[in-house]
Amino acid sequence: EAQVTQNPRYLITVTGKKLTVTCSQNMNHEYMSWYRQDPGLGLRQIYYSMNVEVTDKGDVPEGYKVSRKEKRNFPLILESPSPNQTSLYFCASGEQGARETQYFGPGTRLLVL
Amino acid sequence: LAKTTQPISMDSYEGQEVNITCSHNNIATNDYITWYQQFPSQGPRFIIQGYKTKVTNEVASLFIPADRKSSTLSLPRVSLSDTAVYYCLVEKSSASKIIFGSGTRLSIRP
């Protein structure tokens, strides 16, 4: 089944404790991206990747890191999480670029205390 | 990326046709128009995409006038399960960033 998976789905952590949210797609898509969704602010793109080893900032990259060592994986790293990073996070992938149909993962709900 | 404007919310009833209009006055020649649907706590799901005139698939139709400064997503005979937020996006064929606007919260009543 074609899908985007994220882990964990729910996470409670404390300020400053490094964490990684994994994202994996099995559709051989070149484009992958991360979003956060907050009430009243909608979906905002954090980082995106056009292909392996190619990543770039979205609209809200501060406090986040990503890597794209393999085509299928695009982990989101919070080196030192803060409470303002409490949010619902989505990973997505698309065939080649942003205009292609984006397939979203199920979401990761993060609470930073 | 062209900025889009949509109604914040809309209400309708089961069995009705619902039309959601999106304004994108600054759309460029090589921009495409894409609509996504999002249910609470789920990732957005692609509905339809078009460049001009009319596009239809099994779930919706997309109407784009000649000047392309707006587009209308048409949902025929809606049901309660169509209650969701609908996003209109405008993106170039070479786009790398994706910008979601605030979307339209559609509520369907029995």
Side-chain angles (χ1 to χ4, degrees):
Chain A
E1 178 191 355
Q3 60 182 350
V4 177
T5 57
Q6 295 179 226
N7 283 292
R9 293 289 314 280
Y10 304 92
L11 179 60
I12 300 174
T13 189
V14 295
T15 298
K17 187 177 181 182
K18 181 179 178 180
L19 67 91
T20 299
V21 184
T22 64
C23 173
S24 184
Q25 51 94 3
N26 62 0
M27 295 168 277
N28 201 37
H29 286 166
E30 292 185 357
Y31 186 89
M32 297 186 74
S33 57
W34 276 102
Y35 303 81
R36 62 177 290 174
Q37 186 165 35
D38 304 289
L41 295 176
L43 275 156
R44 293 179 292 169
Q45 194 176 48
I46 303 170
Y47 267 96
Y48 63 91
S49 170
M50 298 292 286
N51 212 327
V52 175
E53 302 292 1
V54 180
T55 64
D56 211 340
K57 297 176 181 179
D59 286 330
V60 288
E62 296 77 20
Y64 304 95
K65 287 175 59 177
V66 293
S67 69
R68 188 89 181 273
K69 294 185 172 62
E70 306 164 279
K71 200 171 191 178
R72 63 182 292 125
N73 297 322
F74 191 46
L76 180 69
I77 303 157
L78 284 71
E79 294 270 2
S80 182
S82 62
N84 64 12
Q85 293 179 297
T86 291
S87 187
L88 178 58
Y89 291 87
F90 291 103
C91 178
S93 72
E95 278 196 23
Q96 288 187 320
R99 189 182 72 76
E100 306 292 331
T101 300
Q102 300 298 306
Y103 297 85
F104 284 79
T108 295
R109 193 169 289 279
L110 172 65
L111 173 61
V112 183
L113 301 173
Chain B
L1 289 166
K3 183 177 179 180
T4 61
T5 303
Q6 305 173 234
I8 293 174
S9 64
M10 293 180 66
D11 295 323
S12 188
Y13 294 90
E14 281 191 294
Q16 299 294 306
E17 178 184 76
V18 171
N19 296 311
I20 306 174
T21 298
C22 177
S23 296
H24 26 80
N25 291 319
N26 298 320
I27 192 168
T29 304
N30 54 349
D31 283 341
Y32 284 76
I33 301 155
T34 309
W35 286 79
Y36 285 85
Q37 174 192 55
Q38 186 181 25
F39 298 114
S41 298
Q42 293 186 27
R45 184 181 68 161
F46 172 87
I47 301 175
I48 199 166
Q49 185 180 74
Y51 181 79
K52 62 179 179 181
T53 60
K54 177 184 174 183
V55 180
T56 298
N57 61 23
E58 62 276 8
V59 298
S61 295
L62 179 60
F63 298 92
I64 305 168
D67 66 6
R68 305 203 323 126
K69 292 183 183 298
S70 66
S71 59
T72 299
L73 174 72
S74 180
L75 305 172
R77 297 179 300 281
V78 294
S79 64
L80 295 175
S81 62
D82 291 315
T83 294
V85 177
Y86 292 82
Y87 295 95
C88 164
L89 282 67
V90 175
E91 299 153 351
K92 293 177 175 47
S93 58
S94 60
S96 53
K97 270 188 179 182
I98 298 178
I99 296 178
F100 281 82
S102 52
T104 297
R105 187 173 298 275
L106 176 65
S107 297
I108 305 300
R109 301 176 181 178

